[in-house]
């Protein structure tokens, strides 16, 4: 991979280049608002080097930590730094009153009165919690992602925030990695659509509006490819995987006008991403013309030292600023190490100026210079937060995120009366787990639990028996504490079994605690922890009518369940309205239409597993030995990408291609008729996959290239068509650029990545 570590910044908007004599020149580009750029020029001209570096320095509040404890800055030192203009941004400061106080101090006490920008991890809601992003991706509905991000922005901005560290767009193929929950799964096409929508939702039409916030695309790049699924671990992928699989969702957010980027902790092909100028300068700020700023991840500049790239803070600062990391989150490297580098001539001040310009540009776009307090509105905060309409939307989004994995003998939907229902499992009673990891300001225990949801759906609660069974997480757990699973205390199993015995049907909630996924939560075992499997099997012995409701933040290993129990509902961590949304599905008030955004493995040993893999030279072999397979497990996933059932059935027919030939620059139409062949109305996500059969590099066996969600009444048919252009066939190939290659292609229109009507065409 090309590494340009010299001071060479080529950008569509700001161009910095080395002159013959080694000094650096800054030129302005064309796509910017000249008025804002002029104001930035004026400010820059007044700023001392210390004040400039201050703009690049970000601290967390000490009352909420989302990373390891940084160098101790007590509150006196902190306020002094604010006064000296040495803090440009803070994270983890929330609330209209608190943010106003901090902003007031920054603006009033510092020499130039530059407002600070306040960031926070608003990942799937601020106080009204929406489904975790992985779940939301299961809706295959970008409008849903846009809506939840819009509402999150409305609540967060009213609490004084200007900036969210979202969307997280990392492609994740390995269920061991705890941050699978935070992104849109394994596919770059679906991921790009969701990422684009989220940026639009957070940022709205105009960043300067009081209810929009700047988005931050993270983690740049390839963080989801951590070796062995262990968080923060090294990543080694080829340049083609980087371009074809990892980068498309990042690029989509630049197209959506994202204001900021965050780089990543991982080493990528030998260079920590924070010090990678190929990523940040050549691709992001160069090729893609991104004119916002890049914030480091939490102390990722300081981590250049343990990574073995820098010997000390000064070197770390130099490497990071040179590579295009504009703001230092919690690293103290810019504050304590950058000035001396500039003074010694190790870092050209023009680089500092460019970084400061980018930070100021976003502050101007947010309207912070016009009114630094427009976001801190205690009245608005009261009014909008957790409003009825936000909660209603949370329920809508949650319903759409549910995936029906199995439903034998149409055991679902359940009847609202005339059936005795046992509700089992401590997750069923939990008002906290559904809030998920990365829950921003959600109030603990504020979600509608599954038991509550079911109780308000049935007509007679005396037909319900709730037994939690053994608690499977023993300790009080938080974002920053380790969980202790109960492997021994079986009390509770008997009562649960009794409840199952006297009921017609059992709804059992199993899966993961919300803090089993998220940052730093990698696992080697993705089965059911604690005594959950035992509980399930004991219950199943006395009542076969079992409906499992899964609550989880990653694909799980659930072979026994998939083989034995008649119904499985994938309900992830669905947020504030989880219980109501699940009940809507269980009782058929809503017909589930979600589709998996990740493959569910048969065994963790298959990780990484994903549908858009490349064929080996020995892809098949039956009973023979010498082909690419496991001797103790199949190659295929338990549930493939794109999979999900409905309470109705759909038939695909009349596959049509407008032509068998596509000329370069032309387009082709592919269509099929989808019919609802069941008894109830339902939605189907119709999916288009394409394979480039012979290329200058090997191409995946299938790639998602389109999808459309349609609603069909019983007996109704609709034609769904997709237009394929040569752009859709482009990939980053042998010539290290995106291009389509002539040749034969296969395509499928179907209900998931492993089924579909098939056709062929040739690109000439
Ligand atoms: C570290 C995480 O990797 C990042 O995603 C998050 O935004 C920051 N901490 C701030 O909390």
């Amino acid at each position: 991979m090309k590494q340009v570590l010299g001071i060479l910044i080529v950008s569509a908007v700001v161009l910095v280049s080395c002159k013959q004599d080694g000094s650096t020149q800054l030129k302005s580009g064309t796509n910017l608002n000249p008025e804002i750029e002029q104001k930035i020029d004026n400010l820059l001209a007044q700023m001392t080097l210390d004040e400039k570096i201050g703009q690049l320095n970000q601290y967390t509040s000490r009352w909420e930590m989302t990373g390891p404890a940084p160098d101790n800055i007590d509150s006196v030192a902190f306020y002094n730094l604010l006064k000296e203009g040495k803090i440009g941004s803070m994270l983890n400061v929330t609330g209209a009153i608190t943010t106003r106080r901090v902003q007031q101090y920054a603006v009033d006490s510092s020499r130039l009165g530059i407002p600070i920008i306040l960031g926070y991890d608003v990942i799937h809601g601020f106080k009204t919690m929406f489904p975790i992003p992985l779940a939301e991706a299961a809706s295959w509905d970008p409008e849903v992602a846009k809506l939840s991000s819009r509402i999150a922005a409305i609540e967060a901005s009213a609490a004084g925030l200007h900036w969210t560290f979202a969307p997280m767009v990392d492609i994740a193929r390995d269920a061991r990695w705890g941050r699978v929950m935070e992104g849109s799964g394994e596919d770059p096409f679906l991921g790009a659509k969701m990422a684009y929508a989220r940026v639009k939702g957070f940022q709205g039409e105009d960043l300067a509006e009081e209810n929009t916030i700047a988005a931050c695309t993270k983690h740049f790049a390839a963080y989801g490819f951590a070796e062995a699924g262990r968080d923060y671990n090294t990543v080694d992928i080829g340049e083609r995987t980087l371009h074809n699989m990892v980068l498309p969702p990042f690029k989509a957010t630049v197209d959506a006008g994202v204001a900021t980027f965050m780089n990543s902790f991982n080493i990528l092909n030998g260079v920590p991403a924070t010090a990678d100028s190929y990523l940040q300068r050549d691709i992001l700020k160069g090729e893609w013309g991104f004119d916002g700023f890049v914030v480091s991840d939490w102390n990722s500049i300081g981590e250049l030292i343990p990574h073995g790239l820098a010997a000390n803070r000064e070197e770390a600062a130099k490497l990071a600023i040179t590579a295009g990391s504009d703001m230092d989150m919690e690293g103290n490297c810019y504050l304590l190490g950058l000035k001396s580098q500039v003074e010694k001539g190790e870092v050209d001040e023009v680089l500092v100026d460019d970084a400061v310009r980018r930070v100021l540009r976003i502050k101007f776009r947010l309207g912070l210079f016009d009114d630094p307090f427009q976001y801190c509105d205690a009245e608005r905060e009261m009014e909008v937060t957790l409003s009825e309409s936000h909660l209603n939307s949370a329920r809508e989004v949650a319903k759409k995120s549910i995936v029906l994995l199995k439903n034998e003998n149409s055991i679902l939907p359940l009847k609202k009366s005339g059936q005795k229902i046992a509700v089992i499992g401590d997750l069923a009673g939990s008002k906290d787990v559904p809030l998920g990891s990365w829950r921003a300001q959600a109030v603990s225990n504020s979600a509608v639990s599954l038991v509550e949801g079911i109780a308000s759906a049935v007509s007679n609660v005396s037909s319900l028996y709730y037994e939690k069974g053994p608690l499977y997480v023993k300790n009080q757990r938080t974002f920053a504490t380790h969980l202790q699973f109960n492997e021994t205390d079986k009390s509770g199993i008997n009562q649960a079994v009794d409840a199952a015995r006297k009921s017609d049907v059992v709804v059992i909630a199993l899966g993961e605690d919300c803090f089993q996924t998220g940052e730093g939560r990698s696992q080697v075992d993705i089965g059911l922890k604690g005594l959950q499997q035992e509980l399930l099997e004991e219950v199943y012995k006395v009542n076969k009518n079992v409906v499992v409701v899964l609550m989880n933040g990653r694909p799980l290993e659930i072979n026994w369940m998939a083989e034995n129990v008649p119904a499985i509902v994938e309900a992830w961590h669905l947020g504030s309205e989880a219980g109501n949304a699940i009940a809507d599905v269980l009782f058929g008030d809503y017909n589930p239409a979600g589709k998996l955004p990740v493959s569910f493995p048969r065994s963790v040993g298959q990780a990484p597993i994903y549908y858009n893999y490349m064929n080996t030279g020995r892809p098949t072999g039956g009973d023979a030995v010498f082909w690419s397979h496991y001797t103790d497990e199949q190659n295929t996933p338990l549930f493939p990408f794109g999979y999900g059932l409905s309470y109705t059935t759909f038939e695909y027919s009349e596959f049509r291609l407008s032509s068998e030939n596509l000329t370069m620059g032309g387009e082709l139409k592919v269509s099929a008729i989808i019919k609802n062949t069941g008894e109830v109305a339902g939605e189907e996500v119709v999916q288009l996959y394409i394979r480039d059969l012979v290329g200058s590099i090997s191409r995946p066996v299938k790639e998602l290239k389109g999808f459309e969600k349609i609603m069909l009444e019983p007996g109704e048919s609709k034609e769904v068509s997709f237009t394929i252009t040569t752009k859709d066939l482009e990939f980053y190939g042998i010539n290290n650029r995106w291009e389509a290659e002539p040749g034969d292609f296969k395509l499928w229109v179907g209900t998931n990545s492993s089924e579909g009507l098939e056709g062929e065409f040739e690109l000439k």
Side-chain angles (χ1 to χ4, degrees), residues 364-409:
F364 273 109
R365 285 184 186 162
L366 280 162
L368 288 176
F369 284 94
D370 298 326
D371 178 0
F373 308 109
Q374 70 157 338
Y375 294 80
C376 326
D377 185 335
E379 227 171 84
R380 188 158 60 93
E381 186 180 21
M382 289 280 285
E383 192 185 304
V384 300
T385 309
L386 285 168
S387 70
E388 201 184 325
S389 86
H390 289 184
L391 288 169
N392 288 341
S393 297
R395 183 167 176 169
E396 284 304 302
V397 174
K399 285 190 318 204
K400 293 184 171 166
S401 304
I402 294 173
V403 185
L404 181 64
L405 294 177
K406 191 176 177 191
N407 190 20
E408 250 173 32
N409 310 325

Side-chain angles (χ1 to χ4, degrees), residues 66 91 121 165 179 218-219 262 265 297-298 329 519:
T66 47
L91 69 154
D121 290 289
F165 305 125
R179 299 193 82 167
K218 69 189 189 184
H219 304 85
M262 185 186 291
F265 290 122
D297 203 345
W298 184 289
M329 179 193 286
E519 189 179 345

Side-chain angles (χ1 to χ4, degrees), residues 124-130 151 155 385-387 390-391 394 576:
H124 55 107
F126 182 66
K127 267 200 174 149
T128 303
M129 281 295 116
F130 287 85
I151 291 174
E155 293 194 0
T385 309
L386 285 168
S387 70
H390 289 184
L391 288 169
S576 303

Side-chain angles (χ1 to χ4, degrees), residues 19-292:
K19 289 203 289 189
Q20 293 272 299
D21 62 4
S23 65
T24 314
Q25 246 188 355
L26 183 107
K27 296 178 201 155
S28 287
T30 47
N31 294 335
L32 304 169
N33 176 337
E35 220 176 285
I36 290 185
E37 298 305 306
Q38 184 60 53
K39 286 181 183 165
I40 297 173
D41 285 341
N42 295 345
L43 255 181
L44 269 170
Q46 298 171 56
M47 292 168 87
T48 64
L49 182 55
D50 281 322
E51 284 166 335
K52 289 178 186 172
I53 292 171
Q55 285 305 306
L56 311 182
N57 185 36
Q58 186 192 47
Y59 285 130
T60 177
S61 70
R62 269 35 192 176
W63 54 89
E64 189 171 336
M65 309 281 287
T66 47
D71 286 358
N72 187 40
I73 308 240
D74 61 31
S75 46
V76 176
F78 171 76
Y79 275 99
N80 283 339
L81 287 172
L82 264 184
K83 193 164 158 185
E84 290 162 25
K86 289 186 174 171
I87 298 179
S89 171
M90 285 195 73
L91 69 154
N92 301 336
V93 183
T94 62
I97 292 169
T98 311
T99 50
R100 178 178 285 273
R101 211 171 51 224
V102 176
Q103 187 70 287
Q104 189 91 55
Y105 193 79
V107 172
D108 290 353
S109 69
S110 64
R111 189 176 75 91
L112 294 170
I114 299 177
I116 54 173
I117 173 169
L118 296 167
Y120 197 53
D121 290 289
V122 183
I123 308 296
H124 55 107
F126 182 66
K127 267 200 174 149
T128 303
M129 281 295 116
F130 287 85
I132 55 170
L134 182 68
E136 210 176 64
S139 70
W140 287 56
D141 189 343
E143 283 307 310
V144 151
K146 188 172 167 191
L147 173 72
S148 72
S149 308
R150 183 84 288 280
I151 291 174
I154 290 170
E155 293 194 0
S157 59
L161 292 164
H162 317 130
W163 181 23
T164 174
F165 305 125
M168 189 275 225
V169 306
D170 298 309
I171 296 298
R173 298 169 160 182
D174 192 330
R176 293 172 296 182
W177 190 49
R179 299 193 82 167
V180 171
M181 54 81 45
E182 225 179 304
S184 293
E186 73 190 40
D187 183 66
F189 186 88
L190 177 63
K193 297 280 181 216
M194 300 307 276
Y196 185 95
R198 288 195 173 114
V199 170
K200 291 289 185 196
F202 288 128
Q203 298 195 167
E205 292 300 312
D206 179 1
L207 265 190
E209 292 290 321
E210 62 180 14
N211 67 6
T212 58
I213 55 178
C216 179
T217 307
K218 69 189 189 184
H219 304 85
F220 201 53
Y223 181 45
F225 281 65
E227 277 178 4
R230 179 157 51 81
D231 207 3
Y232 316 121
N233 205 4
T234 302
V235 175
D236 218 310
I237 56 170
E239 186 158 9
R240 300 202 173 100
T241 300
L242 177 69
H243 283 270
N244 290 316
M245 294 293 166
V246 172
L247 295 183
F250 288 96
K251 170 68 166 54
T253 65
V254 174
D255 295 341
V258 72
T260 71
F261 256 56
M262 185 186 291
N263 59 34
S264 59
F265 290 122
N266 55 288
I267 294 172
L268 174 60
N269 303 334
V271 179
T274 304
D276 192 333
S277 44
Y278 175 59
L279 283 176
Q280 298 175 104
R281 294 233 182 260
D282 295 1
I283 296 176
L284 177 63
K285 295 177 178 175
E287 210 182 295
W288 296 350
F290 170 71
D291 63 14

Side-chain angles (χ1 to χ4, degrees), residues 396-445:
E396 284 304 302
V397 174
K399 285 190 318 204
K400 293 184 171 166
S401 304
I402 294 173
V403 185
L404 181 64
L405 294 177
K406 191 176 177 191
N407 190 20
E408 250 173 32
N409 310 325
S410 300
I411 181 174
L412 289 173
L414 303 175
K415 296 197 264 307
K416 287 188 179 169
S417 61
Q419 229 179 5
K420 280 183 259 161
I421 305 174
V423 186
I424 289 171
D426 60 314
L427 291 180
S430 178
K431 293 176 66 59
D432 202 57
V433 169
L435 297 172
S437 196
W438 286 118
R439 51 173 62 186
Q441 287 289 295
V443 176
S444 302
N445 294 306

